mmCIF file of all heavy atoms in Angstrom:
data_model
loop_
_atom_site.group_PDB
_atom_site.id
_atom_site.type_symbol
_atom_site.label_atom_id
_atom_site.label_comp_id
_atom_site.label_asym_id
_atom_site.label_seq_id
_atom_site.Cartn_x
_atom_site.Cartn_y
_atom_site.Cartn_z
ATOM 1 N N VAL R 363 -87.323 -57.448 -5.889
ATOM 2 C CA VAL R 363 -88.656 -56.994 -6.317
ATOM 3 C C VAL R 363 -89.746 -57.685 -5.482
ATOM 4 O O VAL R 363 -90.687 -57.043 -5.028
ATOM 5 C CB VAL R 363 -88.857 -57.263 -7.823
ATOM 6 C CG1 VAL R 363 -90.250 -56.812 -8.277
ATOM 7 C CG2 VAL R 363 -87.792 -56.558 -8.640
ATOM 8 N N GLU R 390 -94.272 -49.305 -20.846
ATOM 9 C CA GLU R 390 -94.687 -50.294 -21.858
ATOM 10 C C GLU R 390 -95.415 -51.450 -21.191
ATOM 11 O O GLU R 390 -96.469 -51.909 -21.648
ATOM 12 C CB GLU R 390 -93.421 -50.814 -22.568
ATOM 13 C CG GLU R 390 -93.680 -51.523 -23.867
ATOM 14 C CD GLU R 390 -93.811 -50.572 -25.035
ATOM 15 O OE1 GLU R 390 -93.274 -49.455 -24.974
ATOM 16 O OE2 GLU R 390 -94.488 -50.954 -25.998
ATOM 17 N N ALA R 430 -76.075 -21.603 -13.216
ATOM 18 C CA ALA R 430 -75.096 -20.891 -12.380
ATOM 19 C C ALA R 430 -73.698 -21.155 -12.940
ATOM 20 O O ALA R 430 -73.360 -22.294 -13.254
ATOM 21 C CB ALA R 430 -75.189 -21.396 -10.941
ATOM 22 N N THR R 479 -64.057 -25.474 -27.238
ATOM 23 C CA THR R 479 -62.721 -25.635 -27.826
ATOM 24 C C THR R 479 -61.887 -26.607 -26.974
ATOM 25 O O THR R 479 -60.826 -27.053 -27.384
ATOM 26 C CB THR R 479 -61.973 -24.296 -27.858
ATOM 27 O OG1 THR R 479 -61.995 -23.745 -26.534
ATOM 28 C CG2 THR R 479 -62.615 -23.318 -28.822
ATOM 29 N N ALA R 543 -59.660 -19.515 -12.773
ATOM 30 C CA ALA R 543 -58.942 -19.098 -13.982
ATOM 31 C C ALA R 543 -59.457 -17.780 -14.527
ATOM 32 O O ALA R 543 -58.741 -17.055 -15.239
ATOM 33 C CB ALA R 543 -59.059 -20.188 -15.053
ATOM 34 N N ILE R 679 -52.213 -15.579 -19.418
ATOM 35 C CA ILE R 679 -51.865 -16.451 -20.553
ATOM 36 C C ILE R 679 -52.183 -15.750 -21.875
ATOM 37 O O ILE R 679 -51.455 -15.909 -22.869
ATOM 38 C CB ILE R 679 -52.543 -17.841 -20.444
ATOM 39 C CG1 ILE R 679 -51.875 -18.808 -21.431
ATOM 40 C CG2 ILE R 679 -54.022 -17.785 -20.647
ATOM 41 C CD1 ILE R 679 -52.311 -20.236 -21.289
ATOM 42 N N ALA R 684 -49.952 -13.381 -26.760
ATOM 43 C CA ALA R 684 -49.767 -12.295 -27.726
ATOM 44 C C ALA R 684 -48.294 -12.201 -28.140
ATOM 45 O O ALA R 684 -47.982 -11.968 -29.312
ATOM 46 C CB ALA R 684 -50.241 -10.976 -27.135
ATOM 47 N N PRO R 694 -59.552 -14.435 -26.133
ATOM 48 C CA PRO R 694 -59.680 -15.866 -25.802
ATOM 49 C C PRO R 694 -61.130 -16.327 -25.932
ATOM 50 O O PRO R 694 -62.054 -15.573 -25.629
ATOM 51 C CB PRO R 694 -59.222 -15.944 -24.349
ATOM 52 C CG PRO R 694 -59.307 -14.579 -23.815
ATOM 53 C CD PRO R 694 -59.219 -13.632 -24.959
ATOM 54 N N ARG R 706 -78.547 -24.779 -38.216
ATOM 55 C CA ARG R 706 -77.481 -23.812 -38.458
ATOM 56 C C ARG R 706 -76.327 -24.050 -37.499
ATOM 57 O O ARG R 706 -76.537 -24.431 -36.343
ATOM 58 C CB ARG R 706 -77.980 -22.375 -38.298
ATOM 59 C CG ARG R 706 -78.706 -21.861 -39.530
ATOM 60 C CD ARG R 706 -79.137 -20.441 -39.334
ATOM 61 N NE ARG R 706 -80.090 -20.325 -38.254
ATOM 62 C CZ ARG R 706 -80.262 -19.220 -37.535
ATOM 63 N NH1 ARG R 706 -79.531 -18.156 -37.764
ATOM 64 N NH2 ARG R 706 -81.150 -19.188 -36.570
ATOM 65 N N VAL R 745 -38.483 -29.410 -22.315
ATOM 66 C CA VAL R 745 -39.278 -30.502 -22.909
ATOM 67 C C VAL R 745 -38.402 -31.183 -23.941
ATOM 68 O O VAL R 745 -37.971 -30.523 -24.907
ATOM 69 C CB VAL R 745 -40.557 -29.938 -23.584
ATOM 70 C CG1 VAL R 745 -41.407 -31.073 -24.139
ATOM 71 C CG2 VAL R 745 -41.351 -29.098 -22.602
ATOM 72 N N LYS R 753 -41.279 -18.364 -18.784
ATOM 73 C CA LYS R 753 -40.774 -17.620 -17.623
ATOM 74 C C LYS R 753 -41.445 -18.148 -16.366
ATOM 75 O O LYS R 753 -42.635 -18.403 -16.349
ATOM 76 C CB LYS R 753 -41.101 -16.121 -17.817
ATOM 77 C CG LYS R 753 -40.615 -15.219 -16.704
ATOM 78 C CD LYS R 753 -39.108 -15.028 -16.716
ATOM 79 C CE LYS R 753 -38.619 -14.318 -15.468
ATOM 80 N NZ LYS R 753 -38.488 -15.228 -14.303
ATOM 81 N N SER R 797 -41.659 -26.284 -1.647
ATOM 82 C CA SER R 797 -40.719 -25.262 -2.127
ATOM 83 C C SER R 797 -41.550 -24.033 -2.454
ATOM 84 O O SER R 797 -42.715 -24.152 -2.805
ATOM 85 C CB SER R 797 -39.985 -25.747 -3.379
ATOM 86 O OG SER R 797 -39.344 -24.653 -4.019
#
Side-chain angles (χ1 to χ4, degrees):
Chain R
V363 179
E390 196 84 24
T479 54
I679 194 172
R706 278 182 297 154
V745 182
K753 181 73 189 81
S797 166

